[in-house]
């Protein structure tokens, strides 16, 4: 009966220890209480059960040691769990901070992409502006070249003017020397000098006027030959002669494709033509036309040898007036490399 009571008390102690472990582990006080209770039970069991065998005491001691070991392991597990929870809290905080930083970086990347797009648009705009500026620069450089050429011409004219001034200065020095050579004729020389200076100014003005007129006056002169092929004609109708051999065509006023001279300016012009008939040519006839107006008809009959004719005129032409030669119908004319048949003209002066 006493053995059963002791064993029952031991079971109750083990049950209470197990309950404490399941509810969160044993504290040091709990372990101490357990040890005290175990000692009380042990004393009580010793006093009440003097006949308990040594094997049961060893088993109780072993059970007590196991309970203490389990309580220590529980305390260590709890500490590890708390430590892991703290590390998880730190990791969650760091993860949250990392997420915030990622969001901030994403916002910064969005801003940078917008700025990059704006910068690229600005670069394209600047490239277009550079193209326009290059075109304007090329135009400006061409204008500078033109101005440089004009400046070169002006410098040449300035040099000529300076030379003229130097010449006049030398003449004035001579005049001054002559004026100082005679004290008695100072007043006379002064009057003469005044007259000379007036005449010099007038002459300079005339020279400048002539220079301007010569610069503005168009250069017009031509001299042409008919052909190297021999006889031209006869034709049933009047035919404009196309002088194809160009000796001179200053101003390009004569057109060899049409045989027509076109006056480039209003003025007085000099014209001359010559024609030659040879051997079997029976009749040589040339008409000179001013626009649609016939100025002259020159003709001659060839009898056995050859015949030569020529005429010259000074005509007043308006700008755009035309001069040309027609071969008279049923007549012919001859020309070869010796240039027997020619047509010439030039501008005497503009009006």
């Amino acid at each position: 009966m006493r053995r059963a009571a002791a064993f029952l008390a031991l079971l109750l102690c083990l049950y209470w220890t197990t309950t404490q472990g399941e509810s969160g582990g044993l504290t040091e006080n709990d372990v101490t209480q357990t040890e005290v209770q175990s000692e009380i039970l042990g004393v009580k069991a010793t006093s009440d059960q003097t006949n308990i065998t040594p094997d049961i005491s060893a088993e109780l001691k072993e059970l007590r040691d196991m309970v203490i070991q389990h309580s220590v392991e529980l305390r260590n597990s709890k500490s590890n769990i708390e430590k892991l929870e703290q590390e998880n809290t730190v990791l969650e905080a760091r993860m949250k901070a990392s997420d915030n930083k990622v969001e901030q970086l994403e916002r910064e990347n969005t801003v940078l992409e917008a700025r990059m797009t704006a910068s690229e648009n600005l670069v394209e705009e600047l490239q277009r502006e550079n193209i326009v500026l290059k075109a304007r620069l090329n135009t400006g450089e061409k204008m500078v070249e033109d101005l440089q050429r004009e400046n070169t011409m002006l410098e040449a004219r300035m040099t000529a003017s300076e030379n003229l001034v130097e010449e006049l200065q030398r003449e004035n020095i001579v005049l001054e020397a002559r004026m100082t050579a005679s004290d008695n004729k100072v007043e006379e020389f002064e009057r003469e000098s005044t007259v000379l200076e007036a005449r010099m100014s007038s002459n300079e003005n005339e020279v400048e006027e002539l220079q301007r007129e010569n610069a503005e006056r168009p250069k017009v002169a031509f001299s042409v030959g008919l052909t190297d092929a021999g006889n031209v004609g006869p034709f049933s109708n009047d035919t404009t002669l196309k002088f194809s051999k160009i000796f001179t065509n200053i101003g390009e006023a004569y057109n060899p494709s049409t045989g027509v001279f076109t006056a480039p300016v209003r003025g007085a012009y000099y014209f001359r033509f010559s024609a030659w008939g040879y051997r079997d040519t029976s009749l040589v006839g040339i008409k000179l036309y001013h626009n649609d107006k016939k100025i002259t008809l020159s003709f001659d009959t060839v009898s056995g040898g050859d015949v030569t004719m020529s005429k010259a005129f000074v005509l007043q032409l308006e700008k755009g007036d035309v001069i040309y030669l027609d071969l008279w119908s049923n007549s012919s004319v001859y020309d070869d490399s010796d240039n027997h048949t020619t047509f010439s003209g030039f501008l005497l002066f503009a009006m």
Side-chain angles (χ1 to χ4, degrees):
M1 188 67 181
R2 290 177 181 176
R3 288 182 180 178
F7 186 72
L8 180 60
L10 180 61
L11 289 177
L12 288 173
C13 183
L14 289 174
Y15 174 77
W16 178 81
T17 302
T18 304
T19 304
Q20 291 294 322
E22 290 177 354
S23 63
L26 294 175
T27 64
E28 291 181 358
N29 294 329
D30 296 332
V31 173
T32 303
Q33 259 182 351
T34 303
E35 291 176 353
V36 171
Q37 291 175 1
S38 297
E39 289 177 357
I40 293 172
L41 290 173
V43 172
K44 192 173 182 181
T46 302
S47 61
D48 294 337
Q49 299 177 9
T50 55
N51 296 325
I52 294 174
T53 62
D55 292 336
I56 294 175
S57 178
E59 289 178 0
L60 289 174
K61 185 178 181 180
E62 184 178 355
L63 287 173
R64 186 185 66 184
D65 293 339
M66 289 176 64
V67 168
I68 293 171
Q69 183 179 357
H70 284 306
S71 66
V72 172
E73 290 178 355
L74 286 173
R75 283 200 303 271
N76 292 334
S77 297
K78 184 177 181 181
S79 298
N80 290 333
I81 289 171
E82 291 176 352
K83 186 177 180 180
L84 289 174
E85 288 178 350
Q86 292 173 356
E87 291 178 354
N88 287 337
T89 302
V90 173
L91 289 174
E92 287 178 357
R94 291 177 62 186
M95 183 62 73
K96 186 175 181 180
S98 176
D99 292 339
N100 293 334
K101 191 171 183 180
V102 168
E103 291 178 358
Q104 182 179 358
L105 290 174
E106 289 177 350
R107 288 193 296 271
E108 291 178 357
N109 286 338
T110 303
V111 173
L112 289 175
E113 288 178 357
R115 291 177 62 188
M116 181 63 72
T117 302
S119 178
E120 291 174 349
N121 294 333
L122 181 59
V123 168
E124 293 178 356
E125 182 66 22
L126 290 174
Q127 288 176 344
R128 289 192 293 269
E129 291 180 359
N130 285 339
I131 293 171
V132 174
L133 289 175
K134 286 180 181 178
R136 291 178 61 186
L137 180 59
N138 292 332
T139 303
E141 289 175 349
K142 291 180 181 178
M143 291 179 64
V144 169
E145 292 178 356
D146 293 338
L147 290 174
Q148 287 176 343
R149 287 194 292 270
E150 292 180 1
N151 287 338
T152 302
M153 295 174 62
L154 290 174
E155 288 176 357
R157 292 177 62 185
M158 183 63 72
T159 301
S161 178
E162 290 174 348
N163 293 334
L164 182 60
V165 169
E166 291 177 357
E167 181 66 25
L168 291 175
Q169 288 175 345
R170 287 193 294 269
E171 291 179 0
N172 287 335
I173 292 172
V174 173
L175 290 174
E176 289 176 359
R178 291 176 61 187
M179 289 172 63
T180 57
S182 178
D183 295 336
N184 296 328
K185 294 184 179 181
V186 170
E187 294 180 358
E188 182 180 356
F189 281 136
E190 288 178 351
R191 290 192 295 270
E192 289 179 358
S193 178
T194 302
V195 173
L196 287 173
E197 288 178 358
R199 290 177 61 187
M200 185 62 68
S201 298
S202 177
N203 289 336
E204 288 176 353
N205 293 333
E206 290 180 0
V207 168
E208 291 178 357
E209 183 66 25
L210 289 174
Q211 287 176 344
R212 286 194 296 270
E213 290 180 358
N214 287 333
E216 296 173 357
R217 178 179 177 182
K219 308 297 188 296
V220 181
F222 74 97
S223 182
V224 293
L226 183 59
T227 183
D228 288 338
N231 280 326
V232 176
F235 303 107
S236 58
N237 297 314
D238 290 356
T239 303
T240 300
L241 292 175
K242 299 177 182 179
F243 291 80
S244 60
K245 296 186 292 183
I246 306 298
F247 307 128
T248 304
N249 193 13
I250 299 172
E252 302 295 331
Y254 174 77
N255 187 345
S257 299
T258 61
V260 176
F261 171 86
T262 303
V265 295
R266 183 175 184 268
Y269 293 81
Y270 174 85
F271 296 99
R272 182 182 183 278
F273 67 88
S274 63
W276 194 47
Y278 179 67
R279 292 181 181 176
D280 55 350
T281 303
S282 59
L283 178 64
V284 177
I286 300 293
K287 294 180 180 181
L288 174 66
Y289 277 92
H290 173 198
N291 294 332
D292 295 330
K293 179 183 178 182
K294 182 180 67 175
I295 303 300
T296 184
L297 169 61
S298 299
F299 65 92
D300 201 350
T301 302
V302 181
S303 57
D306 56 64
V307 64
T308 301
M309 66 175 66
S310 63
K311 287 286 181 72
F313 292 90
V314 174
L315 301 176
Q316 179 178 335
L317 305 181
E318 299 294 330
K319 181 179 179 180
D321 285 358
V322 296
I323 299 294
Y324 55 93
L325 297 177
D326 273 2
L327 181 65
W328 194 20
S329 61
N330 300 316
S331 66
S332 59
V333 69
Y334 184 89
D335 195 15
D336 56 21
S337 60
D338 291 330
N339 302 312
H340 301 289
T341 301
T342 60
F343 182 27
S344 302
F346 55 88
L347 172 66
L348 290 173
F349 52 86
M351 297 174 62

